[in-house]
Amino acid sequence: MASRALYSSRHRMLKKWDDFEDMLEERRRSSDLRYALRCYTPSLYKGLVPCKASMLKTIVLQSDHLQYVIKQVSLESGESSECVTEEASLILDEMAHRLQLSTIRFFAFTLSKAFKRLFRSVCVNEEGIQRLQQAVQEHPVVLLPSHRSYMDFLMMSYLLYTYDLPLPVIAAGMDFMSMKFVGEMLRMSGAFFIRRSFGGDKLYWAVFSEYVKTMLRNGYAPIEFFLEGTRSRTCKSLTPKTGLLNIVMEPFFKGELFDVNLVPVSISYERILEETLYARELLGVPKPKESTSGLLKARRILSEDYGSMHVYFGHPVSVRSLAEGKINRSQYNLLPRYIPQKPSTDTHEFLKDAAFRLVRIQEENMVLKPWVLIATLLLQNPDGLDLSSLTEQTDWLRHLALAFGAFLDWPDHAACSEVTSCSLALHRHLLIVSAGHVQLNVTEALQVDTTPEEAVFHRAVVVLSCASYRNQILHVFLRPALLAVAMQSANSNSKDDIYNCFSFLRNMFSNEFILCPGDSVQDFEEACYLLMKRGVLQVLEHEIVMSASGQSTLAFLCAVLDPFLQGYQVVCRYLCEETNENLTEKEFIPAVRNFALKLILAGRLKCYEALSSDLQKNTLAALLRLKAVRKVKVGDQVVLKVNKIAVNSLEDTLGGKIPNQKPVLARL
């Protein structure tokens, strides 16, 4: 199975990590101006010289595909072909990049100054760069970075310029176009701007897809986009989108390209620039509009210390190898290439499977800092821990994470106490450290006129900020944690009963975490293997038995998932107890947030993560998928219709009442 090989071609327990180079080290020793103006001679795809941006526009507008769609739109709308062609030309003008080396040199100079002030180091895996240098000469390359910060795409272009690689053209949201001067600068550094949603705009989709495919077919430049579609406000990987992935694979499907190389890139931050901003957004504070004035006001971050940053370029993934035995390319020969075709069911499933596995690769290659371990422990101990106990538990958790295959950046030969102290110092704005006791800064004295609601908001910002770091390591613990909760809920040693519980939880949380479709058995076996290898449990033919020393590990793993279990239960309780008959989709998030706030103020809920809009949206998505809630169009609004029996049953199962028989979902 080619797509499965994408993830499991090398066992992560045996994985040898590449060597990293701090690319800022050289920048600190030499002139930034000389660096920006240096000779730039990138390796090119098959030695081809990229055409100019103006020529690219002409090629797109004259393409058979776009001409076919223009005629279709003209017939459907009654407009002349000339008018529709003019509209297509305007769309392309709004969308297209105007990559200029002079602008890249300007960014190289200014970003060098900024990065040296923001980060202690920017570490890049050297072997990954070498693999990419080879890949760009053989086949068109698509770069797929993880997306946790606006810094991601700036850093990607900066790195490719530094290592003499072709500069990427980057899919960017239209939001940036509203930034005077900066929007145009981004366009001239390789950004092309696309709408967040195309709706049913056939012409816009045709212009966009043909523009991307033309750049790919001509080897114009590496194409870069984010599989997740947007920045993750929680620092968990988001469910991948497949629209752009289909566009870059289609030239291979249609035989226009021999192959395409997909390169997953994992970007991790010791401290995230937008940390507090994300937490506030999750609590309902509107996202600030992108503007040049806002960017200038953000200059104060240059005085902050954001620790280190790691960028890991993964192994190029061949679309040809990926599709072997999965896609019947002969179906694309039934019509001329220029006629647009909707992906078949098989193609859609293939794209979804490939997208999930590529995001899994991003997760597995994410470099984790010691702070993610400390954040995990502090969230599980809201009253705090003595520094000595925190250090001891961090060391225990480090060994557990490494045993589970975590890519942990732990300083060589450094004492755990020293590493812990350094991490606490970098994130001191989230903490109270007093008399050898460490806890999250949720008890800081507030102003006299602070309302109870404002006090909850303050605490929730700190908790959600800290949770964003815990979330970075969730993929390491996720499958063992699902098994630990399943063992607790099953109240039985039967392997079948525990698997049923595991399968239910995995299905429930499939909108929350990256869980590859169809891999339930594989994930269960992986969880059993990891916990058995750690000596936490014994897996017999028909039973799973906890060992005498396994209790503390299972308790920790259950606690990892507890905020999500509680958050989902809060949403279910709201839908059963409070919802009215005409709850609109737009009203859902504010209504659930207010319900959770009341529970917290009444002392009935201590889980501040239940206030997160991301968790609430994922819960609703799960309930819709399980048909416990339906969307119904009433007038011009979308109303949520709740099956309270089904939702109540799901709340019970999440509370540990999962039945031992075949999954409860079958009855819903």
Side-chain angles (χ1 to χ4, degrees):
M1 181 176 177
S3 60
R4 184 158 294 180
L6 171 65
Y7 172 66
S8 58
S9 58
R10 61 186 188 278
H11 198 289
R12 61 184 188 166
M13 294 290 98
L14 305 176
K15 191 170 184 177
K16 176 187 176 294
W17 300 114
D18 299 355
D19 290 327
F20 281 83
E21 173 192 34
D22 176 13
M23 52 87 64
L24 288 186
E25 193 176 325
E26 174 65 24
R27 296 277 46 75
R28 298 189 199 280
R29 291 200 307 258
S30 59
S31 161
D32 290 329
L33 185 59
R34 190 178 296 117
Y35 161 74
L37 297 177
R38 71 189 178 84
C39 180
Y40 170 65
T41 54
S43 303
L44 299 172
Y45 168 57
K46 294 186 176 177
L48 297 175
V49 178
C51 61
K52 292 182 179 178
S54 56
M55 179 59 71
L56 185 63
K57 178 182 175 181
T58 303
I59 295 170
V60 172
L61 287 174
Q62 293 178 353
S63 68
D64 291 341
H65 170 66
L66 190 53
Q67 287 298 313
Y68 177 84
V69 173
I70 285 171
K71 287 177 185 174
Q72 273 198 322
V73 172
S74 174
L75 286 170
E76 291 169 6
S77 64
E79 292 183 58
S80 67
S81 293
E82 291 76 16
C83 285
V84 179
T85 301
E86 181 62 26
E87 188 182 343
S89 181
L90 291 172
I91 291 171
L92 200 50
D93 285 339
E94 177 189 62
M95 180 186 298
H97 73 82
R98 290 196 294 274
L99 183 61
Q100 294 182 13
L101 187 57
S102 57
T103 308
I104 294 296
R105 293 191 187 281
F106 169 78
F107 271 117
F109 177 76
T110 54
L111 289 176
S112 284
K113 299 289 185 191
F115 291 155
K116 285 189 289 186
R117 293 188 66 175
L118 288 169
F119 302 110
R120 298 175 188 176
S121 61
V122 174
C123 300
V124 184
N125 64 322
E126 294 172 286
E127 289 181 32
I129 292 293
Q130 292 164 10
R131 290 191 294 262
L132 183 57
Q133 286 169 337
Q134 182 66 31
V136 295
Q137 297 176 65
E138 295 173 347
H139 304 290
V141 163
V142 178
L143 297 167
L144 302 171
S146 56
H147 201 15
R148 304 291 180 269
S149 170
Y150 276 143
M151 198 62 69
D152 296 333
F153 66 88
L154 295 173
M155 183 57 76
M156 285 290 292
S157 295
Y158 183 78
L159 288 175
L160 267 61
Y161 177 78
T162 300
Y163 288 103
D164 240 16
L165 283 156
L167 294 165
V169 289
I170 309 152
M174 297 290 278
D175 326 23
F176 292 102
M177 282 186 64
S178 61
M179 299 174 72
K180 292 177 184 175
F181 177 68
V182 174
E184 280 308 302
M185 290 291 287
L186 291 173
R187 191 191 291 277
M188 288 188 288
S189 66
F192 63 94
F193 299 101
I194 56 175
R195 297 173 190 168
R196 293 289 180 190
S197 172
F198 301 170
D201 193 331
K202 187 185 292 185
L203 183 63
Y204 190 92
W205 177 260
V207 172
F208 166 61
S209 61
E210 187 59 30
Y211 181 64
V212 173
K213 285 186 281 190
T214 299
M215 289 191 288
L216 200 69
R217 285 191 295 255
N218 295 348
Y220 182 89
I223 291 169
E224 178 184 322
F225 66 91
F226 301 107
L227 266 174
E228 298 163 281
T230 187
R231 288 174 298 160
S232 170
R233 270 65 174 174
T234 60
C235 290
K236 283 194 290 94
S237 295
L238 304 178
T239 301
K241 308 289 190 294
T242 58
L244 248 171
L245 192 62
N246 179 51
I247 288 173
V248 298
M249 286 187 176
E250 197 173 86
F252 165 74
F253 294 157
K254 291 187 173 183
E256 296 169 311
L257 286 171
F258 181 78
D259 203 355
V260 176
N261 279 324
L262 308 176
V263 181
V265 185
S266 305
I267 306 175
S268 51
Y269 299 85
E270 189 168 11
R271 184 180 165 202
I272 302 157
L273 277 75
E274 301 98 327
E275 173 190 278
T276 304
L277 189 67
Y278 286 166
R280 294 170 67 85
E281 281 186 45
L282 292 170
L283 293 168
V285 177
K287 170 191 168 188
K289 189 178 179 184
E290 284 82 359
S291 66
T292 304
S293 61
L295 180 65
L296 293 173
K297 287 176 188 173
R299 285 178 301 170
R300 65 179 181 274
I301 69 170
L302 292 173
S303 61
E304 295 278 336
D305 179 3
Y306 288 90
S308 63
M309 179 178 177
H310 282 77
V311 183
Y312 188 98
F313 287 86
H315 287 262
V317 175
S318 157
V319 171
R320 172 173 283 273
S321 299
L322 200 58
E324 189 177 352
K326 303 282 286 183
I327 295 293
N328 177 13
R329 292 202 291 161
S330 63
Q331 64 185 299
Y332 290 92
N333 297 330
L334 300 176
L335 290 172
R337 286 174 177 168
Y338 62 83
I339 297 179
Q341 299 180 52
K342 284 188 176 180
S344 65
T345 303
D346 286 348
T347 301
H348 182 75
E349 288 303 312
F350 166 75
L351 290 166
K352 183 180 176 183
D353 185 67
F356 269 84
R357 294 181 190 283
L358 287 162
V359 175
R360 282 277 335 253
I361 291 174
Q362 288 178 349
E363 286 185 333
E364 296 299 333
N365 290 339
M366 200 73 74
V367 179
L368 304 170
K369 301 296 287 185
W371 170 246
V372 303
L373 305 175
I374 297 168
T376 303
L377 293 168
L378 290 174
L379 285 166
Q380 292 190 11
N381 295 274
D383 295 329
L385 292 163
D386 290 337
L387 183 55
S388 58
S389 177
L390 178 61
T391 302
E392 184 183 330
Q393 291 190 42
T394 300
D395 196 43
W396 172 83
L397 189 52
R398 169 170 70 113
H399 288 95
L400 182 67
L402 289 171
F404 286 178
F407 191 173
L408 194 60
D409 179 40
W410 192 276
D412 290 334
H413 313 301
C416 189
S417 56
E418 182 186 343
V419 174
T420 303
S421 296
C422 287
S423 294
L424 295 178
L426 184 64
H427 298 275
R428 57 188 175 276
H429 58 291
L430 294 175
L431 305 167
I432 294 175
V433 183
S434 177
H437 190 78
V438 185
Q439 69 180 110
L440 294 181
N441 187 8
V442 293
T443 57
E444 187 182 73
L446 300 168
Q447 295 178 359
V448 178
D449 58 349
T450 300
T451 65
E453 290 81 5
E454 288 170 339
V456 169
F457 181 86
H458 164 78
R459 295 186 193 107
V461 166
V462 175
V463 169
L464 291 177
S465 296
C466 195
S468 69
Y469 295 99
R470 186 250 357 250
N471 290 345
Q472 293 178 30
I473 200 170
L474 277 178
H475 67 274
V476 174
F477 297 127
L478 176 60
R479 287 151 190 82
L482 288 171
L483 179 57
V485 175
M487 289 176 68
Q488 186 182 68
S489 302
N491 198 25
S492 160
N493 290 336
S494 164
K495 198 172 184 179
D496 287 344
D497 292 347
I498 293 170
Y499 174 73
N500 285 340
C501 294
F502 178 92
S503 183
F504 165 80
L505 290 164
R506 188 185 182 282
N507 191 19
M508 191 75 196
F509 286 130
S510 61
N511 294 93
E512 194 71 51
F513 307 112
I514 298 300
L515 294 159
C516 297
D519 274 8
S520 183
V521 172
Q522 185 178 323
D523 286 347
F524 181 72
E525 289 174 351
E526 180 185 321
C528 289
Y529 168 76
L530 290 173
L531 289 174
M532 188 170 59
K533 178 173 172 284
R534 189 66 182 164
V536 174
L537 47 81
Q538 289 181 296
V539 180
L540 309 174
E541 187 177 355
H542 299 295
E543 289 189 327
I544 298 177
V545 183
M546 183 181 71
S547 67
S549 59
Q551 180 58 45
S552 59
T553 301
L554 290 178
F556 164 77
L557 291 170
C558 287
V560 165
L561 283 185
D562 190 58
F564 301 97
L565 290 164
Q566 287 196 54
Y568 277 49
Q569 284 179 282
V570 166
V571 174
C572 289
R573 199 173 312 157
Y574 167 75
L575 291 173
C576 287
E577 294 177 10
E578 301 285 324
T579 186
N580 59 56
E581 286 295 315
N582 297 307
L583 176 70
T584 65
E585 192 175 14
K586 201 175 275 188
E587 295 167 341
F588 172 78
I589 296 293
V592 174
R593 187 183 295 118
N594 287 334
F595 179 71
L597 178 62
K598 287 177 187 175
L599 292 177
I600 289 170
L601 290 171
R604 294 170 57 197
L605 178 67
K606 292 184 179 179
C607 178
Y608 289 92
E609 292 184 59
L611 294 167
S612 165
S613 59
D614 183 77
L615 186 145
Q616 293 156 2
K617 287 174 188 172
N618 289 336
T619 310
L620 179 60
L623 295 174
L624 287 165
R625 180 170 43 80
L626 299 173
K627 297 183 170 45
V629 175
R630 291 182 298 116
K631 287 183 183 179
V632 178
K633 193 80 181 286
V634 177
D636 59 349
Q637 292 187 317
V638 177
V639 174
L640 300 176
K641 296 294 182 183
V642 181
N643 179 341
K644 294 194 176 184
I645 295 173
V647 171
N648 191 59
S649 174
L650 287 168
E651 185 191 349
D652 282 348
T653 60
L654 290 168
K657 300 174 186 174
I658 302 175
N660 290 339
Q661 307 95 296
K662 268 293 180 190
V664 66
L665 299 182
R667 301 199 300 273
L668 297 181

